[in-house]
Amino acid sequence: MTLQRSVRKAGLVVAVAALALSAAGCAKKDESEVQANGVKLIEKGKLTVCTHLPYAPFQSKDASGKVVGFDVDVMDLVAKELGVEQTIVDTPFEGIKSGQDLNTGKCDAAAAGMTITEERQKVMDFSDPYFDATQALLVKTGKPYKSLDDLRGKKLGIQAATTGRDYAKKFEQEKGLQLVEFEDLAALQQALANGQVEAAVNDLPVWTEYIKENPGGFEVTAEFDTGEQYGFSVKKDGNPELLKKINEVLTKARQDGSYDTIYAKWIGKQPAK
């Protein structure tokens, strides 16, 4: 090999090495651009949160089209702590509860009035509980249905992929229920309003909000204490820093009174101590 060729080859090796170092440096820079106070985010300057609309009072659109609610306010506290803005993605609940939306990077976290269950814990990591929930039976005012027993042979509306659905399913055969499943809460509410179903099962706070919006039209005739608690979620084993930050914010909010303020704003009373 001639001296000239050797020099040329050496120069090529140096150039390739420099390019590799440059690429590594860029990758490191790109990675740092999607971090906020040590927390990984899928988009710079934003905490992207998946939810499923509508589910008032936890998340729904106001008259201006802005998404508001209990969950929105709490996650705003998390975003503020990170120094970013919350961005909300409306997506089918099935993709949330299966963990798919978190696994595919559609969002950093999920906040959807979602009950913590063993099944869901297998596919996502949950925060500390932030809301105690229970199931309830809603009927049109004046209807005679006071329990699931009263609905034998009748159509009972349920929402797909929810714990309310799971609860009603357990009694489907025993109580002789005709379950009719709907994709979202709005469709379930409409079915009850137009007489497509005789009653509906869902979370008590959701029915309380619906009654408030439709005074005199509907009433809760039974509550089912299922011991449920809501949690926010992140990708399974994928973002421990964000999970830690959410829990820190929840603890701080309970201590400084901001949690009580949010609770009273959306639930209409102070939380039980």
Side-chain angles (χ1 to χ4, degrees):
M1 182 182 293
T2 66
L3 179 60
Q4 186 178 11
R5 289 177 62 191
S6 296
V7 170
R8 190 178 299 164
K9 183 176 181 182
L12 180 61
V13 170
V14 171
V16 170
L19 184 62
L21 285 171
S22 175
C26 288
K28 187 174 182 181
K29 181 180 179 183
D30 289 345
E31 183 180 348
S32 68
E33 286 179 348
V34 290
Q35 297 245 350
N37 291 338
V39 173
K40 292 188 300 182
L41 300 176
I42 61 175
E43 190 171 351
K44 184 180 179 181
K46 296 180 179 180
L47 174 64
T48 307
V49 179
C50 278
T51 195
H52 180 55
L53 302 173
Y55 206 68
F58 298 95
Q59 49 271 322
S60 61
K61 290 184 178 180
D62 64 13
S64 70
K66 180 183 178 182
V67 180
V68 298
F70 190 108
D71 289 358
V72 179
D73 283 0
V74 176
M75 292 307 286
D76 270 342
L77 296 180
V78 178
K80 182 179 180 181
E81 188 73 16
L82 294 174
V84 299
E85 296 290 328
Q86 179 182 184
T87 297
I88 298 172
V89 178
D90 181 21
T91 184
F93 191 65
E94 183 60 43
I96 295 175
K97 80 156 194 170
S98 68
Q100 181 181 357
D101 290 338
L102 294 166
N103 292 336
T104 58
K106 181 180 284 189
C107 47
D108 299 302
M114 181 164 53
T115 299
I116 302 170
T117 68
E118 289 186 9
E119 181 181 1
R120 293 171 184 174
Q121 285 177 314
K122 294 176 183 177
V123 294
M124 66 186 86
D125 290 332
F126 277 97
S127 70
D128 296 334
Y130 70 92
F131 192 88
D132 295 331
T134 190
Q135 298 297 320
L137 185 71
L138 187 74
V139 303
K140 277 187 174 181
T141 300
K143 290 285 186 175
Y145 312 116
K146 305 297 183 183
S147 68
L148 294 182
D149 289 318
D150 295 336
L151 288 161
R152 182 172 297 277
K154 305 293 184 180
K155 292 181 178 179
L156 174 65
I158 52 176
Q159 182 181 347
T162 63
T163 51
R165 170 195 177 277
D166 296 342
Y167 181 81
K169 279 282 187 181
K170 289 194 298 186
F171 297 99
E172 182 177 11
Q173 298 300 322
E174 176 188 338
K175 308 291 186 183
L177 306 174
Q178 292 186 33
L179 300 182
V180 183
E181 192 165 314
F182 298 89
E183 183 64 27
D184 56 41
L185 179 63
L188 175 59
Q189 291 169 334
Q190 184 61 38
L192 181 61
N194 64 25
Q196 188 177 344
V197 296
E198 291 295 315
V201 170
N202 213 305
D203 292 3
L204 177 59
V206 172
W207 291 148
T208 301
E209 181 70 13
Y210 188 59
I211 290 171
K212 189 194 310 180
E213 295 173 354
N214 299 272
F218 303 89
E219 60 181 329
V220 169
T221 56
E223 295 181 23
F224 313 113
D225 188 4
T226 53
E228 295 178 42
Q229 293 181 305
Y230 290 167
F232 302 116
S233 66
V234 302
K235 182 179 179 180
K236 184 71 176 177
D237 300 324
N239 204 338
E241 298 85 3
L242 177 55
L243 189 65
K244 180 181 178 182
K245 183 61 66 176
I246 292 172
N247 285 333
E248 287 175 352
V249 168
L250 285 172
T251 298
K252 180 181 178 183
R254 291 183 187 277
Q255 292 173 345
D256 66 19
S258 51
Y259 175 86
D260 288 0
T261 299
I262 292 171
Y263 195 103
K265 174 183 176 182
W266 293 106
I267 306 303
K269 61 181 179 179
Q270 290 293 321
K273 298 298 183 181

